[in-house]
Amino acid sequence: DVRRLSVVELALRCHYAADHAQQVARLALQIFDATRPVHGLDDRAREWLDFAGILHDAGEHISYERHHRHSYYLVKNGELRGFEPDEIETIALVTRYHRRGAPRKGHDGFSALPRAGRKAVRWLSAMLRVAESLDRSRSQLVERVELRRRGRHWTLRVAGRGDIELELWAAQRNMRPLEAELGGPVKLAPGRAAA
């Protein structure tokens, strides 16, 4: 798979934390799958989320403080093979918005995307933000997440091993963009880890 290989090569050039990146991508995909009936995005968007999960911290190679912006630049200019330019822009924007700030029509890159592209960036970056928070300790403590809807309200059940209080706290602090896309509040609930 040229696309995946290209993404991993860029991540390696940026000295990424592989375990953390894979955990974040895995959790983000679980959120994507649980909300598929609501967002209606296709498998191509799912793949973008996976790749953005792998690359979301690439910018730490330059500076931690603004690494989300550096990740955007590195993905956009990372010579990813097998992608259309709008796909690279989408993945880059999802990494940009995984922390701090939200997509705005006036932002470079985001405003140039068609409506469907802007929708994908809003959804995928919101999912990635929560998933990244669920590995706040970078210890891969969360084993799985389940997101269920009850009317306008949602429950995100987080199953992990050991103490996942830091992950739950961080996820709650970063839930607002996902709640905006879901159209209702999300309550976090600890779940049971697999035996």
Side-chain angles (χ1 to χ4, degrees):
D1 183 353
V2 171
R3 291 158 64 99
R4 180 168 298 280
L5 181 61
S6 182
V7 165
V8 171
E9 285 172 352
L10 176 58
L12 287 169
R13 286 196 311 266
C14 295
H15 306 287
Y16 81 131
D19 291 342
H20 171 67
Q22 290 165 6
Q23 171 77 345
V24 169
R26 186 178 66 79
L27 295 173
L29 294 177
Q30 289 179 17
I31 295 169
F32 181 97
D33 292 340
T35 56
R36 193 182 284 259
V38 181
H39 59 65
L41 298 172
D42 61 15
D43 287 339
R44 192 168 85 148
R46 189 180 192 276
E47 184 183 49
W48 298 335
L49 178 60
D50 187 16
F51 295 152
I54 292 168
L55 293 169
H56 76 280
D57 283 339
E60 287 183 359
H61 178 61
I62 297 171
S63 163
Y64 178 79
E65 190 57 36
R66 296 171 58 95
H67 77 266
H68 53 294
R69 290 182 180 245
H70 297 306
S71 293
Y72 170 79
Y73 177 84
L74 289 167
V75 172
K76 188 170 168 77
N77 297 289
E79 299 179 13
L80 294 175
R81 297 179 313 282
F83 293 91
E84 296 294 325
D86 65 319
E87 291 182 295
I88 292 173
E89 185 68 39
T90 300
I91 295 166
L93 286 165
V94 172
T95 66
R96 176 183 177 184
Y97 296 121
H98 88 273
R99 91 189 263 271
R100 294 190 189 170
R104 302 249 187 267
K105 274 195 174 179
H107 288 172
D108 290 342
F110 183 73
S111 60
L113 289 175
R115 173 180 266 176
R118 292 193 306 269
K119 173 188 171 185
V121 168
R122 282 193 313 272
W123 272 103
L124 301 179
S125 62
M127 294 173 198
L128 186 61
R129 186 178 292 209
V130 172
E132 205 273 336
S133 300
L134 289 170
D135 196 39
R136 174 72 181 212
S137 68
R138 294 192 172 207
S139 300
Q140 295 78 55
L141 298 175
V142 174
E143 294 181 346
R144 72 180 183 285
V145 295
E146 297 171 1
L147 193 59
R148 297 219 171 110
R149 182 183 201 170
R150 195 170 260 167
R152 274 192 62 242
H153 298 269
W154 295 80
T155 300
L156 180 65
R157 190 163 302 281
V158 181
R161 54 184 168 67
D163 184 1
I164 60 169
E165 286 301 314
L166 178 60
E167 280 71 17
L168 294 173
W169 171 82
Q172 191 63 62
R173 289 192 65 214
N174 287 286
M175 193 64 69
R176 189 164 293 159
L178 185 59
E179 289 175 328
E181 296 305 316
L182 291 170
V186 177
K187 176 185 167 192
L188 281 161
R192 289 198 158 159

